[in-house]
Amino acid sequence: MAAPADTRRSHLCRSEFIRTFVLNRNPETSMKNTLALVLYASFLLLALRVQAADIAIDNAIENVITRVDAALAQHRASGDDADLEPAETLLRAALAQAPDDYRAQRSAVALLLARREDQTALTRAITLNARFPDDVDTWALLIDAELALGRYNDAERDTQRLLDLRPDNLPGLARAAQLRELYGDWQGAIDFVTASLNRVTEDQYEMRAARYTQLARLQFGAGQGAVAEQALTAALAAWPAYLPALAEGARQARLRGDVTQALQRAQAAYRARPGVTEQLMLARATAAAGQAVVAAPMLREFAARALASADVDDHAKLALSSYYAFEGQDAARAVSFAASARAQRADVETVLAYATALHRAGRDDEARAPVRALAKLGWRDTEYLALSAALHATLASAIESSNHLR
């Protein structure tokens, strides 16, 4: 059987190479050929070394990204910023080697969001999204920054773009659920979360815990307390001691009026992460359970710790605003802390804290504007509804008093 044409050509090429570079008997030509061979071999060796170095750097960065992703998942579960520090060190080294690597840059944005440096994260996410407009995870980070800052119109627009880019993708469905919740569409949000859960793989434990915690919050808001409890159980089965699930469980028990369960769950949340937010929640649950004497020093310790970090942490500012609006009995300071956070962001929690502080300070006329903004959005949070009712009551009382004066 005749050899294939490609094989014959290969044999001819090798024969020509041998005749030209090996069997050539002309000394001058042979010397030139030898030099050419040496140069070619050197170039080939250099190219192989560069390629090997590129592959090594690429593999090293991929390993760093994997470790950063694991650290971010652990941080979402624990809320402990110490979980981020080793990953940040590794990522800085990776960026020093490959400053233009989009995966490393994307992870840097994710770490900024975890650190609650939302404005910086937004700026970098916008730049990264412009460079890589087809990258799903970059869109997700951009939307997360917009949600954190309360830029809900931008978040809605970009979530739709993300879903248009790749329909039914997990990051898009999760963020669509967040927006539906903000707009007060419980069932729409539940549908999105259910759809996203169907796309979570068995080994994505933190993602599964996060989606079940979100589902629990939505079901509770929709009045389905028993279903919410089932979702919380599923979240903690996916990731035991998952802080967001523990905190949500404590919140739901408090709103149900079950002070014993609220205290137990607040204690579990504080054991998972003894942060200032968890400490305030525990102190309040302790007081509500009839242990005001025990709660008093806890509140004092909370205030001292939160004050120490308030300059750099908007969450500490909001916790202090809530504390001074109620237990601390200093409404002016409550307004000051909430206003400072409100100057940086316009998310619903910050706007509600600002309106609550204004109400507690007797400045109801000013409090109505942020409450109307939340009403226009469609938000149906329990604390917001209570504040709105209180403002309506004071307004009705003022109108009635005015009528009596007439």
Side-chain angles (χ1 to χ4, degrees):
M1 182 182 292
D6 287 346
T7 304
R8 290 199 300 272
R9 281 196 296 272
S10 177
H11 289 162
L12 288 171
C13 289
R14 286 198 293 270
S15 298
E16 183 65 27
F17 176 86
I18 292 170
R19 283 196 299 272
T20 302
F21 290 101
V22 179
L23 299 180
N24 195 307
R25 301 302 183 184
N26 185 309
E28 183 179 351
T29 304
S30 180
M31 179 63 71
K32 290 180 179 178
N33 290 342
T34 301
L35 288 172
L37 276 171
V38 171
L39 288 171
Y40 175 73
S42 299
F43 173 78
L44 182 61
L45 181 60
L46 178 61
L48 289 172
R49 285 177 176 173
V50 169
Q51 183 181 34
D54 287 344
I55 292 172
I57 291 174
D58 188 73
N59 289 339
I61 290 175
E62 191 62 38
N63 181 55
V64 168
I65 301 307
T66 300
R67 295 177 69 174
V68 169
D69 288 344
L72 287 167
Q74 180 62 44
H75 178 264
R76 288 189 293 270
S78 69
D80 188 353
D81 286 351
D83 291 331
L84 302 174
E85 292 168 4
E88 289 169 331
T89 300
L90 288 171
L91 189 62
R92 280 194 295 270
L95 284 167
Q97 283 190 303
D100 291 330
D101 188 274
Y102 83 95
R103 298 163 302 169
Q105 291 183 354
R106 191 174 61 195
S107 291
V109 174
L111 286 167
L112 284 170
L113 286 169
R115 288 284 190 183
R116 297 173 294 280
E117 297 178 29
D118 302 316
Q119 188 59 58
T120 303
L122 176 63
T123 301
R124 294 193 185 179
I126 290 171
T127 301
L128 200 58
N129 177 250
R131 288 180 58 198
F132 305 101
D134 294 332
D135 185 66
V136 168
D137 291 329
T138 301
W139 277 107
L141 292 171
L142 174 61
I143 295 163
D144 286 344
E146 291 164 344
L147 288 169
L149 293 168
R151 298 175 61 159
Y152 298 131
N153 289 336
D154 293 343
E156 182 178 17
R157 176 200 64 210
D158 291 337
T159 299
Q160 187 58 58
R161 289 175 176 173
L162 174 53
L163 290 171
D164 290 342
L165 177 67
R166 190 178 301 174
D168 296 335
N169 70 85
L170 179 55
L173 292 171
R175 284 147 186 85
Q178 287 180 265
L179 286 163
R180 289 295 96 202
E181 179 182 0
L182 287 166
Y183 298 156
D185 180 5
W186 299 119
Q187 190 55 53
I190 289 168
D191 291 343
F192 274 120
V193 173
T194 303
S196 70
L197 272 167
N198 293 332
R199 288 160 177 78
V200 177
T201 61
E202 288 297 325
D203 60 345
Q204 291 179 299
Y205 305 111
E206 191 277 329
M207 180 70 74
R208 185 171 295 277
R211 297 288 75 78
Y212 273 119
T213 301
Q214 188 179 15
L215 184 60
R217 186 171 62 250
L218 294 167
Q219 293 287 8
F220 187 81
Q224 301 296 320
V227 181
E229 279 294 311
Q230 293 172 4
L232 286 172
T233 300
L236 292 170
W239 192 300
Y242 190 66
L243 179 62
L246 295 173
E248 177 61 23
R251 185 186 77 92
Q252 291 184 14
R254 173 175 61 81
L255 293 173
R256 287 198 309 269
D258 188 339
V259 295
T260 300
Q261 190 176 71
L263 177 57
Q264 291 171 347
R265 291 181 171 181
Q267 289 169 334
Y270 187 72
R271 283 195 300 271
R273 178 185 183 253
V276 292
T277 303
E278 293 74 29
Q279 189 170 23
L280 178 59
M281 176 174 62
L282 176 58
R284 285 175 166 171
T286 302
Q291 302 177 43
V293 174
V294 177
M298 296 169 63
L299 287 168
R300 288 194 296 270
E301 183 183 352
F302 150 77
R305 292 177 63 199
L307 284 167
S309 61
D311 287 344
V312 295
D313 186 354
D314 285 341
H315 289 271
K317 291 176 185 177
L318 296 183
L320 283 166
S321 177
S322 179
Y323 165 73
Y324 283 116
F326 295 96
E327 294 89 351
Q329 298 184 3
D330 190 339
R333 292 192 80 178
V335 172
S336 176
F337 281 114
S340 178
R342 177 65 185 84
Q344 303 298 319
R345 60 186 69 241
D347 61 292
V348 289
E349 288 83 4
T350 303
V351 173
L352 176 62
Y354 182 52
T356 300
L358 289 170
H359 171 61
R360 297 289 294 180
R363 296 162 60 177
D364 285 356
D365 288 344
E366 297 172 71
R368 288 190 182 94
V371 166
R372 281 195 295 269
L374 294 175
K376 184 178 180 180
L377 185 67
W379 205 40
R380 292 162 60 187
D381 175 82
T382 303
E383 282 83 356
Y384 154 71
L385 293 174
L387 174 61
S388 180
L391 290 174
H392 280 300
T394 58
L395 178 60
S397 177
I399 292 173
E400 184 178 354
S401 298
S402 177
N403 289 337
H404 280 309
L405 289 173
R406 291 176 185 172

